[in-house]
Structures are given as C-alpha cells and as structure tokens.
Amino acid sequence: MGRRGVLRAAAGPAPVATPRDRTGVVRTVLRSPVGATSAVLLCLLVALAVFAPLLWGDRAAAIDTDALQQGPSPAHLLGTDQLGRDIFFRVLVATRLTIGLALLATVIGVAAGLVLGSAPSVLPRWAGRVVTSAVNIAVAFPGLLLALFFAVIFGTGTIGAVLAIAFAITPSFARLTQTLTASVAGRDFIAAARVCGVGRFRLLTRHVLPNIAEPLVINSTLAAGSALTAFAGLSFLGIGVQAPSYDWGRLLGEGLNRIYLSPAPALGPAVAVVVAGLAFNLFGEAAASAAGRRPQPVRRTPPAPESIVDDSGGGLLTVRNLRVTFPGGISPVRGVSFTVHEGEMIGVVGESGSGKSLTALAVSRLVEHPGEVTADRLEFDGRPLAATPDRELGTKLAMVFQDPMTSFNPTRRIGRQLAEVSEVHQGMSRRDALAKAVDRLRAVRIPEPERRAGQYPHEFSGGMRQRAMIAMGLMGEPRLVIADEPTTALDVTVQREVLRLLARIRAERTAGVLLISHDITVVAQTCDRVLVMYAGRIVEELPTAELFTAARHPYTTALLAAVPDLDTDRDAPLAVIPGRPPEPGEIGPGCPFAPRCPLAGDRCRTEEPELTAMADGHRVACWRSESELTLAATGGPR
Amino acid sequence: MSELRFDAVSVRYGHHLAVDDVSLTVPSGQVVGLVGESGSGKSTLAATAVGLVPATAGRVLVDGAENHLRKVQMVFQDPYSSLDPRMSIGGSIAEAMPRGTDRRAEVARLLELVNLDPGRATALPSRLSGGQRQRVALARALAGRPEVVIADEITSALDVSVQGAVLNLVRDLQRQLGLSMLFISHNLAVVRYVSDRIAVMKSGRIVEEGPAERVLAAPEHPYTRELLAAAPRRHTRLEAS
Ligand SMILES: Nc1ncnc2c1ncn2[C@@H]1O[C@H](COP(=O)(O)OP(=O)(O)OP(=O)(O)O)[C@@H](O)[C@H]1O
Ligand code: SF4
Ligand SMILES: [Mg+2]
C-alpha cells in the first residue's frame, strides 16, 4: 500500500470505470425503460433534424396571404403565423437549426472546458495555477447569468448566442475535467508511463483522457439538454436566432404574442423544447446511473451440496452453512461452517477470490445489496446476528479492512475519524474521544501520535494507515475482532507488532479474533486454528500447531510449499501451484481444486467432497483416503 | 550492464525527512535487496531513481552519469493499478520502447520472455490475472532496454501461489539478461531468495549493507537482528508480549 503513500497526493479515489463496463453501459441504458425511451426520442429528433427541411422545407416557407394568423385546423395543425405560414411544419423544420445550434454550442463549450481543464497538467506549474483559479472563479457564477453576460458582449445574433452558451458551459466542464484528471493522475499507470519516458502531452491524450471519457460524454449529453433550453430562452428573448431564420425559441416568442387568441402556435414549439430537453437529460441520467453500476455476470451454477457439521455450537460466533449469493446464481461463499470461541484466534487463509473477505463481511452484516446472505445458523454472542442492534454490533464487533486507503475519508484528519467512532457509539465528548484516539494510535505504535492524529490519510505511509485502521477498530470495546489482511503490506517488524496487538486484545479482553490472510506463515504464527478456504468453501480445518506436520489437503500442502521462508533453498526454483483458482461462476460439479490437483481422480471431477473429520479437530474435504494423503504430503513429490 | 549509485540522496516532504543522506550502490549485474520498516523511505528512494520524486539533495548516477532517462525502469507494487485499463497490454509495452524499434516483433518477444502468449498482446488488462498483469508490467519495464530495474514490492499484492512464479521469473530474467536490480520488499524471506546483497533501511537511513549471506548470518546492526528475529519461520510461534 506504500505506493499510495508517496505518489498519490491529494486525489481521492474516484470511480473510474473499467473498459469491460463500457459496452455494458450502453446495454444497461437501453435496457432501462427511461434510457430506452429517451434513446428512441433522440433518434427521432436526429431523423427530424436531417430530413424535415428536405421534406417540408417548402411548405414551411410557403406564404399564404389567405390564411394569416389562423388557429389550428385540419389543414394547419398548429395554425399559421402572420404571413400565413404553417406553424406545424415550421416547428418540424426548425428542429435542425435548434438541435444543430445547441450541439454546436455544447461542442465548443465542452472542447474549451477540456482544454482549460487539462491545461494545468501540461503547462508549467505557475501557469496551471492561474488557469485553475480562473476556472474556480468562473464556476461560481450561475450559467444563465454568464450566458446573458456573453450575449451582451458578443451582440445579438446566432453566433453571439452560440458563443454565449458555449462559454457558459465551459467553466463547469473545465472543473469536471480537472477533478477527473486528478483522480486518474494519482494512479500507478500514470507514474509507470512517466518512468517509461512518455511525454506530458501523450500522457494526457493516451492515458488520462481515455480513462475519463465516459463521465465526460455523459455530462456532455446533459449539457446539450441545458444548452437547448438555454438557446430557446435567448431566441425567445430576441437575442438569439434572428429573422428570417427561426428556431423553436423564436417560434415560441412569435406564438406567445397571441397566446390569448390561440394557444396552439405557442404550445407547439414549447412542447418541442421540453421534450427535446428532457430526452437529452434523461438519456444522460440513465447513462450516468448505468455507468455507476457494475454489470452483473449471468451464469447459473448447480447448487452444491451443503456441509454437514458437528453441531456443538455455543461459541462467541457460530456460523453454520453460510452462503453468500449474488443475482444470477453466483455463490462466492458456498456453505461455510465454523465456530469462534471466546478468547480464541482463528485464521482464515486462501487465495484471493476464495471468499475470505465476503465471509467476514457476511459475519459483520456488511454484505451490500444485491448480495444475499443465508445460513442455517449465524449467531454472535449468544444471539442471532440478525437480531443484534446496529449500535451494539458497532461496538462489540470490530472490523479491520483490507484496504485502509478506501476505508478512510481522504478529506478528514485521521484523529477525528477515529474519535467519531466513540462519539457516535459510546456518546463520548469530542475531547475525550480525541484523547482516546491518540491513545489508540499510540497502542498500535504510530510514532508521535499527537502530531499524526492531525494528519490526513495521504500523509501516512501504507503501513501506518493500516495500523490506524486497527486503532479505529479498537475505539469500541470489541468482543470479536475481524481483521481482513491487516498485515499484507507491512514489513516484518510492524507485522509482528500488529499480530502481537491482536494477540493481546484476545488475551486481555478474552475477545475472539478472526484473522484473514493469504499468508499462511502469518496465520501459523499467531492463531489457534486455521481454516483453509478454496473456491468459497472450507477445504481443511486444523490446529495451527499441526499445520506444518499434519496438513493433508493437497491445496494446503501446495500452499505451504509455495511460501519462501528463511530456510528456502536459494538455488532451486520456488514451488508453484499451476493454474488459477476458479471464478465463482466457473465452479461446476466436482472438486473445484481438481484441475490443479496432482492427486485428482475421476470421482474428483464429478462429485464435490464434503468437509469430514479426519482426526479430533481436523477436518478435510477430499476424496483421497487419509493414508493416500499422508503419503503425498510427507513422501510424495513436493 | 551498469551500476546504479545513490550519492548522498535526501528527500524532504515539508518538515519531514523521508530519505536522509542515503548512499547506496547497486553493482552491475547484481541484485540488491532493500528491506526496512514501513514508512522508512524505501519507495521514496526508488522514486528518486526514476525521477518521480526529485531528490532534495544528492545525486542518482547510472554508470557515473546523472542523465539516465529510461535507463532505469521500475515495476510497481500493484499490478491492478499500474496498467492503463483502457490500453491493450501490447500498447502499454510498446509505449516504453525506444524510437525505431519494430514494435510488434518486440512486443511478441517480450511477452514470450515473461511466459505470456504473444497472441494476447491486444487484450486489455482486465482480462488478465494479477500474476499475469505483473508479468506484463515486467515486460514493459524491460521494453525500454533498461540498464537497471527497480522492483518495488512487486509480489506483495499477489497471492502466494502466484508470488512464487513471479519470483522465479524475476530471478531467471535477471540472470539471463544480467540486469542490475534494486529489489524492495518488506518480506525478508523473499529478499533473501533473490538478492546478492542486502541493504537495511530505517527512518530514512541505510543502517546496514553487505553480501546477503553475511547480513543474514551475522547481522551487525541491532535493527537487522530484530528484523531477522521477527521474520516468520515455520516453527516459531509468536506470543502476546
Ligand atoms: N505526499 C506526502 N506528503 C507527506 N509525507 C509523505 C508523503 N508521502 C510519503 N510521506 C512520508 O514519507 C515517509 C516515507 O514514506 P514511504 O512510502 O516512502 O515509506 P515505505 O518504506 O515505502 O513504506 P511502506 O513499507 O509502508 O510502503 C513516511 O513517513 C510518509 O508519511
Ligand atoms: S478431492 Fe480430488 S481433486 Fe479435490 S483435493 Fe482431493 S484429490 Fe484433489
Ligand atoms: Mg513502500
């Protein structure tokens, strides 16, 4: 996590969609009713803009002195104007000019915004600052006011109005570009490209802009909607399109003069403006909400058999047949059962994607919609978890997360964020809470805790952030601490401190600890029992004391062999596990480890083994017999 | 190949001295492992070598010369954020190449070198696993034909099962190409496995440096001894102090 410490200064993590999402966005938009309707409307508008002047241009221009200022009739659906021209056809024909001018203004405005917004990243630093402050000032003015201001400067007329609206859009786009650029600029791939010698301009065009294109396009669509209505406003006021040209705003203005005689000539263009403006806005909104959502994989897996488990129960945390399911039948956690007793430290190991974190989240009631948690039993401190009030859970169960950068709010001081926990859950005063926060930071060995408490998350190195996260978990009086990869990025000395800290919490408070790690040596050092997870299930459970001697599951023994330690032979290549673990959607029938397992047989590919007791406190899910496994683990090829 | 030398380098962030007068040499064709506690300034030191962070004082020299753009390349910790999600992996690798290279052939050669199918050059990073991404990052670092490679915690974001494969690859490539390498890691066992020499950093300073066997067998600085004692070993248990 240290990478974030040095190179990622102010920019907080902003949602930058991955490319896989891009086609997904279009599809999701079209699937939502609002998105589909607005898309159809937009297509219609474009078709009108292209074809209406060709088809009806003559009829819209035809002067008929016999039918001046008529009301609606079958011959003239919206009536006629003072020269007897058909208003219905004039509205249709005006689509081209109206939409065209709105889009032109948007394109100019967005382009100017892009240039201003990205200029600071290519200009020398002082020039960049000047641009940034200018944009900040301009953003403070309401857009319409800016438009009127520019309209006065550029004078009345089409060109003036286009520029006025364009420049009214510019500041907010410049600001948006700046924010998005900053969020991308902090990522490692930008640093990597710089190290490769990629110049600033190419950095901008090849790396930054493609990664912010999606939100920019969505916002441009929204801006086009506003440009359209704003333009109609200017034309309506007489400072936009000038006769003999006409757009909807102008038609609206002409119609309004005699609205008391006949409302139709004004209503027609008004409806057109509203519908078109809505179409742009709704489409933009639908796209924005689709981009914010992750596409859901759709694949069904056959429900796997459930674990049969001894029902001793009576622990601090009792979990039986826990499953976490996402729409589409994806189950990343498939029937997990274990017990954590008071004062006990349990380790969970397994590769990424094996369901460790999701199990922890389910136990903390933090699985978010649309994930669904089911279990035969899920009890914490003698009570069903579902019946424990939030407030109580907030203090009794502490969760230390994997990624401390996203767990802290980047804009607030560390000390305050810790103190808030005690203010909210224990009703402490601000001052006491802050004092406690400093104390807890000291407890996790943050040097100069008073000074560090006043710093922001980005000023901490990765390791310190992780410790601060643990300190946050200790602000309450936890009965159970769930620590998800708390030591992944730490060096050994700090790692030892953190582990000791956890060990102390469990000893002093007889709290239970559930320690999740992909590093089996970390777990081996501290825990009483180890749960080895693979593909959403526990494949082996055994006392840590026996881990290096009695582990039997082929996956566990392979994991143990793959970790270098201080006694590893430096001249031989490290042992590796071939292949990769299956994605939750790829789990078929049979043992999920079979494709990588040296002992796999026919049965392994068709039937999934249950977790069954091999010895006291030792459970293994494997079809091979104990003697076969023992032979492979001790005498077989490593 | 060439020698990388930090000559009395210091880096200051405001009042905080992140790197304090560090002199360290990575001899030609050798691997120097850099270990140290979190916040000790390892990453900051690495960043000065590739120009991401300017040194407040001191110089970074490659074969005695200060201008070494592209001669030093770096592989980052997190393969999920170090590749542009919108750029094909072939594109990312090609970008690092000097002008006038036959890009397509070179991309294929490098992918082959890091044991990836050259046919995947057009794939986006999202299609690759963490270990595969880290191989791409390695290929990109090699594309610039560097004389020195800096690896900053390149295995700590990876699963143990993948970590071994990446370490094997790094070792093979280093030997095959005779690269000089600064290998940063908080994991002493990993550093021990790849390094010829080991440097230990604490509070912005190098407190001990020497041949790997010597440092591990007869550590001189108390902090090095502490590090060794704390390193996870298979058969030691940690008790609550
Ligand atoms: N942008 C910054 N502003 C202020 N201080 C910083 C900044 N970046 C890093 N630091 C400080 O510099 C020191 C060294 O940080 P660095 O990330 O180089 O350490 P590290 O050894 O790589 O740590 P880790 O093992 O956690 O990755 C830390 O004390 C950190 O707080
Ligand atoms: S059940 Fe078969 S495939 Fe699965 S771990 Fe056992 S031997 Fe290997
Ligand atoms: Mg670091």
Side-chain angles (χ1 to χ4, degrees):
Chain A
M1 304 270 137
R3 69 216 136 105
R4 294 182 165 146
V6 193
L7 305 171
R8 181 171 311 189
V16 177
T18 58
R20 209 190 312 180
D21 299 340
R22 205 187 289 180
T23 47
V25 168
V26 178
R27 220 175 298 138
T28 320
V29 169
L30 294 182
R31 223 179 275 149
S32 78
V34 173
T37 317
S38 50
V40 168
L41 274 178
L42 282 185
C43 290
L44 220 74
L45 282 173
V46 170
L48 270 182
V50 174
F51 297 113
L54 303 177
L55 295 176
W56 305 301
D58 295 341
R59 292 178 71 172
I63 296 175
D64 182 356
T65 40
D66 295 336
L68 299 181
Q69 301 221 348
Q70 285 186 349
S73 66
H76 305 287
L77 285 177
L78 292 175
T80 57
D81 66 3
Q82 62 270 56
L83 291 180
R85 294 172 296 199
D86 185 287
I87 291 181
F88 178 68
F89 287 114
R90 283 175 78 76
V91 169
L92 291 185
V93 171
T95 311
R96 180 185 280 184
L97 191 63
T98 312
I99 305 264
L101 290 177
L103 289 184
L104 183 64
T106 312
V107 167
I108 296 176
V110 169
L114 267 180
V115 169
L116 281 182
S118 46
S121 56
V122 277
L123 289 177
R125 191 167 291 186
W126 65 267
R129 261 195 223 127
V130 172
V131 174
T132 309
S133 5
V135 166
N136 285 345
I137 293 172
V139 164
F141 286 99
L144 206 59
L145 206 67
L146 275 183
L148 286 174
F149 171 72
F150 283 123
V152 173
I153 291 187
F154 295 124
T156 53
T158 313
I159 295 174
V162 167
L163 290 179
I165 288 171
F167 291 143
I169 296 176
T170 302
S172 62
F173 260 86
R175 166 66 77 76
L176 182 70
T177 310
Q178 270 172 15
T179 321
L180 292 171
T181 305
S183 80
V184 172
R187 312 218 320 183
D188 281 349
F189 66 83
I190 299 288
R194 276 174 62 194
V195 171
C196 290
V198 175
R200 282 187 190 185
F201 188 71
R202 190 182 152 87
L203 213 57
L204 181 72
T205 52
R206 293 303 304 274
H207 292 289
V208 178
L209 291 183
N211 279 293
I212 62 176
E214 196 170 89
L216 282 179
V217 168
I218 289 171
N219 279 283
S220 307
T221 315
L222 293 173
S226 334
L228 189 127
T229 31
F231 215 109
L234 290 188
S235 293
F236 173 76
L237 293 176
I239 48 180
V241 171
Q242 301 296 319
S245 301
Y246 55 98
D247 67 345
W248 290 341
R250 223 190 134 69
L251 292 177
L252 180 63
E254 288 168 3
L256 214 61
N257 291 336
R258 51 191 182 105
I259 189 148
Y260 295 111
L261 301 173
S262 163
L267 277 182
V271 167
V273 169
V274 170
V275 168
L278 267 181
F280 277 107
N281 275 315
L282 290 180
F283 189 78
E285 298 285 355
S289 81
R293 224 184 347 239
R294 302 215 153 272
Q296 290 144 2
V298 275
R299 213 177 304 171
R300 262 213 87 75
T301 45
E306 295 170 353
S307 296
I308 310 157
V309 131
D310 60 301
D311 219 62
S312 50
L316 176 66
L317 176 71
T318 311
V319 180
R320 292 290 176 271
N321 195 20
L322 176 75
R323 299 174 151 270
V324 181
T325 311
F326 288 95
I330 305 278
S331 301
V333 176
R334 309 177 297 131
V336 162
S337 303
F338 62 91
T339 308
V340 183
H341 296 280
E342 280 186 2
E344 194 179 34
M345 196 149 167
I346 304 282
V348 184
V349 294
E351 278 167 274
S352 71
S354 60
K356 304 184 297 290
S357 296
L358 214 48
T359 302
L361 288 175
V363 168
S364 328
R365 258 187 9 207
L366 288 175
V367 173
E368 280 179 26
H369 184 81
E372 214 175 293
V373 178
T374 57
D376 293 349
R377 275 175 77 188
L378 189 52
E379 289 166 15
F380 174 55
D381 213 6
R383 223 186 323 174
L385 195 71
T388 313
D390 273 342
R391 209 188 146 92
E392 199 181 316
L393 206 63
T395 54
K396 276 191 173 175
L397 193 149
M399 176 97 191
V400 181
F401 285 101
Q402 188 163 1
D403 183 355
M405 191 59 192
T406 50
S407 312
F408 280 116
N409 179 342
T411 62
R412 302 188 54 212
R413 297 174 200 279
I414 295 268
R416 281 251 50 85
Q417 296 192 48
L418 261 66
E420 196 168 57
V421 177
S422 288
E423 284 172 42
V424 172
H425 289 298
Q426 292 154 320
M428 269 196 184
S429 76
R430 243 177 109 86
R431 244 181 85 193
D432 291 350
L434 196 60
K436 187 170 182 180
V438 170
D439 181 65
R440 294 295 137 99
L441 286 175
R442 186 175 295 115
V444 295
R445 294 256 304 228
I446 299 270
E448 305 174 67
E450 290 87 0
R451 184 173 73 85
R452 290 289 184 175
Q455 289 189 328
Y456 291 94
H458 77 266
E459 293 178 278
F460 276 45
S461 82
M464 287 185 219
R465 234 161 11 222
Q466 213 124 16
R467 276 179 282 164
M469 191 68 220
I470 296 181
M472 182 128 121
L474 295 181
M475 291 301 287
E477 298 298 330
R479 304 273 301 123
L480 177 67
V481 179
I482 299 178
D484 189 353
E485 305 272 7
T487 58
T488 305
L490 306 185
D491 66 90
V492 279
T493 48
V494 181
Q495 176 172 310
R496 185 168 64 162
E497 282 312 318
V498 169
L499 293 176
R500 277 205 174 131
L501 189 70
L502 290 174
R504 206 165 66 215
I505 295 166
R506 92 57 190 259
E508 284 170 8
R509 308 178 188 213
T510 61
V513 177
L514 192 67
L515 175 67
I516 296 171
S517 175
H518 67 255
D519 189 345
I520 206 160
T521 49
V522 163
V523 164
Q525 275 189 302
T526 36
C527 297
D528 305 311
R529 276 188 294 139
V530 195
L531 309 173
V532 182
M533 278 190 81
Y534 189 79
R537 295 198 137 197
I538 296 176
V539 294
E540 181 158 18
E541 171 177 358
L542 78 168
T544 355
E546 298 170 13
L547 184 60
F548 291 99
T549 52
R552 289 295 175 258
H553 194 281
Y555 176 63
T556 317
T557 49
L559 262 190
L560 287 170
V563 189
D565 68 4
L566 289 179
D567 308 314
T568 305
D569 181 1
R570 290 188 50 185
D571 298 317
L574 290 171
V576 295
I577 309 178
R580 60 174 180 85
E583 302 281 328
E586 294 170 355
I587 300 168
C591 173
F593 190 57
R596 309 169 78 187
C597 181
L599 301 182
D602 287 341
R603 189 177 188 187
C604 305
R605 285 179 248 282
T606 51
E607 250 183 287
E608 186 161 7
E610 293 294 336
L611 191 60
T612 44
M614 180 174 268
D616 200 20
H618 189 170
R619 299 187 292 161
V620 178
C622 180
W623 288 126
R624 294 285 171 189
S625 71
E626 184 171 356
S627 53
E628 282 172 308
L629 290 176
T630 310
L631 185 69
T634 52
R638 263 257 169 137
Chain B
M1 278 299 145
S2 325
E3 166 197 279
L4 169 71
R5 194 147 61 85
F6 294 93
D7 183 15
V9 171
S10 295
V11 179
R12 186 180 284 283
Y13 289 117
H15 293 299
H16 180 69
L17 204 53
V19 172
D20 183 6
D21 192 24
V22 165
S23 295
L24 176 69
T25 303
V26 181
S28 179
Q30 296 214 5
V31 183
V32 172
L34 183 60
V35 288
E37 67 181 344
S38 120
S40 62
K42 307 183 293 290
S43 302
T44 309
L45 185 67
T48 59
V50 289
L52 286 174
V53 168
T56 318
R59 298 178 303 166
V60 184
L61 306 168
V62 174
D63 277 341
E66 243 181 300
N67 186 356
H68 46 74
L69 190 72
R70 285 190 194 227
K71 281 191 194 158
V72 185
Q73 287 295 331
M74 176 145 147
V75 183
F76 292 78
Q77 173 172 7
D78 183 357
Y80 289 89
S81 90
S82 70
L83 294 175
D84 185 341
R86 304 275 187 205
M87 194 180 260
S88 72
I89 59 174
S92 286
I93 295 173
E95 199 174 48
M97 289 173 189
R99 243 169 268 259
T101 334
D102 175 358
R103 291 180 183 237
R104 185 178 298 189
E106 185 69 358
V107 165
R109 187 185 73 83
L110 285 165
L111 284 176
E112 204 104 52
L113 194 64
V114 296
N115 305 330
L116 282 174
D117 175 10
R120 304 194 71 168
T122 51
L124 288 173
S126 58
R127 293 265 166 259
L128 271 56
S129 72
Q132 291 173 326
R133 288 180 202 215
Q134 203 57 300
R135 285 165 210 242
V136 173
L138 211 54
R140 173 179 55 192
L142 295 176
R145 299 179 189 263
E147 327 233 304
V148 183
V149 171
I150 295 181
D152 187 4
E153 302 272 12
I154 56 169
T155 56
S156 54
L158 302 178
D159 272 312
V160 276
S161 56
V162 191
Q163 178 181 312
V166 171
L167 285 177
N168 287 340
L169 177 67
V170 163
R171 239 171 54 138
D172 286 351
L173 285 178
Q174 189 271 329
R175 287 183 186 171
Q176 196 181 327
L177 307 175
L179 290 171
S180 318
M181 191 159 185
L182 183 65
F183 189 93
I184 303 175
S185 174
H186 65 273
N187 188 329
L188 208 55
V190 166
V191 165
R192 171 186 167 276
Y193 185 71
V194 293
S195 307
D196 302 303
R197 301 178 70 83
I198 291 181
V200 182
M201 197 162 179
K202 184 181 193 326
S203 311
R205 299 178 145 265
I206 302 282
V207 295
E208 178 158 8
E209 200 269 339
E213 301 85 53
R214 205 276 295 146
V215 172
L216 293 170
E220 279 164 13
H221 196 275
Y223 177 65
T224 315
R225 269 178 242 145
E226 202 188 317
L227 268 183
L228 267 167
R233 276 211 154 90
R234 300 208 157 191
H235 305 291
T236 51
R237 268 187 71 77
L238 186 93
E239 297 306 330
S241 52

